[in-house]
Amino acid sequence: MPIIAQVIGGAGTGKTTYLLGVMDKLIDIGADPMKIGFVSFTKAAVKEAADRAGSRFNVDPGVLSRDGYFKTLHAMCYMLLDVRSETLITDDQKSKKWIAEAIGEKIGNEDESDPFSSHTESGIALMLWHCARNRLEPYEAAWQRASCTDERTPSYSFCRSVVEKYEHYKVLDNKVDFTDLLGSYAGYKFRIDGVEQRPPRGDVPQVDAWFLDECQDNSALSDAVARRLSQKSKYVYLVADPFQAIYGWSGASPGHFMNWDVLPKNKQILQQTYRCPSPIIRLGEGILKGCSDYWDRGIKPAEHSGSVENDIFNGSWISSVRPDQSWLLIARTNFQANRIGKRLDALNIPWRNSGKGNNKWNAPVRHKTILALLALERGQAITGDEWLSILKNIRSRNGKVYFSRGTKKEWEQKDVSGMLTDLEHIADWGGTADFVKLVKTHAWRTRIEGTSEYMEALDQWGYAATAEPQVKVGTVHSVKGAEADNVVLLTSISHQILRGQDSQGGFDEERRVEYVAVTRAKERLIICNERNSVKKGMAMMHGMDY
């Protein structure tokens, strides 16, 4: 039996740094870095751990991830089960097309902040199937839970028919999804009316020590995988913050982490946050006291000063936002996050999405073209790569021919590295007299969407802040694990989220969501409410003393 240690760390307490310190000690006593395993739920978390471990142990991080055991839980099962890539259903376009053909409808896109918002009815049905399998429960139980809180839930008969078609065509086409991989490794066979146990597939690796990160987000299924992975190891380090568990909609529960059999002497709480000063920690803990399972972890605030302020969505807070400063602008749903983005766009403040998706400020090809044309206009030289970008984005119109015939095709096939030219010599690269006139008269500025806004931002904020703005906008789920000097939290919620809090489990989860949101702030936290919408705001933000 392995020695199991449980490490609980609040927001900003340095859980990853602590883990690397433990790894250091294992290396000192002779452990092989290639026999140390690190598992988390996101590629970003695994990459960060591999990069830091590789630097510390003088091992290529790519080797740790590719040949070792620094992987996401799903990637670990994929490797141990030796699954062929062509059989796996992923979130890529090819898989989405296969699903659409199998069930007769597109499924939509994933939105962790509101899983129903961007899904079709068939997509909702499959999302509930994912949830039921994660919970190791009958499909009807997952459907019943959803239908009680969200009127967008399709009928049970419809949902069941979608799942049956999905599973039918998986068998016909020899396909599996990632949840199937977890089930196979843990020893479960999924059926619509429940699960049945069967002999697990795949080997249990000979790993000396496992570091299982973000365990508060484990479901019954992923917890079973983690327990099997660790059967042959000497040490298991479980790392979590039970009060940052915010994926209950997909079956996650902090109870799985808390239920591991750990000796009291092997339990440790990291009590010093290095991120959140006193006002922010006080607010965060005050929110958590609303949870039915709250207990005081004794988190001590960071030594630096900080503040918590109140404002309204259309208030003056936005005048403080600068793209050359560290800002996170957070909302509960993507709909509300988009409202924040529109306010920033109205003031021409560059920003980036914290999760998936692009906006007008995250358009590198377009912006490269604008900067290249601006350089030519100013008599400066451009590179071959920049010229190729111009060729792809400037089209002939009104009888004007800007490039010699075949220029674009020629440049797409040549090695453009190390090449330089300016407007005076652009004919050598295929630019015509019409193109030279286009640049000299500034007429090109009307040919590329967003040119005027981008150039205004360059003038106001400079190149670095415009090209790589430090302002990020997203949902609470998309910023989990992130931090910023300044955080703005829009408290507006949907009526579905409000209804979801009718159950104790839903109420507790929303308190944890709020805690995650406010503890992203290192210095300044601005709580933004709607002017007359207290009932539709995050409940624990109203009337609190901070």
Side-chain angles (χ1 to χ4, degrees), residues 479-491:
V479 302
K480 187 170 180 288
E483 63 181 20
D485 293 340
N486 309 282
V487 170
V488 176
L489 173 61
L490 178 59
T491 65

Side-chain angles (χ1 to χ4, degrees), residues 221 334 340 461:
L221 177 59
N334 270 322
I340 296 174
W461 307 112

Side-chain angles (χ1 to χ4, degrees), residues 269-273 281 285 294-301:
I269 300 175
L270 306 180
Q271 295 181 311
Q272 178 64 62
T273 178
I281 278 296
E285 291 298 310
Y294 175 76
W295 55 279
D296 188 358
R297 296 156 297 162
I299 304 299
K300 301 173 184 178

Side-chain angles (χ1 to χ4, degrees), residues 6 49 73 79 101 118 163 186 212 224 235-236 260 281 291 298 301 311 351 373 384 388 443 456 484 543:
Q6 190 180 65
L73 198 64
M79 177 187 72
E101 291 174 349
S118 55
V163 172
L212 307 180
Y235 309 99
V236 178
W260 281 66
I281 278 296
C291 293
D311 207 333
W351 58 279
L373 288 164
L388 184 57
E456 287 173 12

Side-chain angles (χ1 to χ4, degrees), residues 41 73-74 127-137 142 178-180 182-183 188 190 195 217-224 247-253 256:
F41 286 93
L73 198 64
H74 296 90
M127 183 202 69
L128 294 177
W129 179 225
H130 168 75
C131 180
R133 290 182 291 168
N134 272 335
R135 290 177 180 268
L136 302 179
E137 67 182 4
F178 276 114
T179 310
D180 294 323
L182 299 188
Y188 292 104
F190 300 115
V195 298
D217 293 326
N218 269 338
S219 64
L221 177 59
S222 57
D223 183 68
Y247 293 97
W249 61 269
S250 67
S253 169
H256 301 299

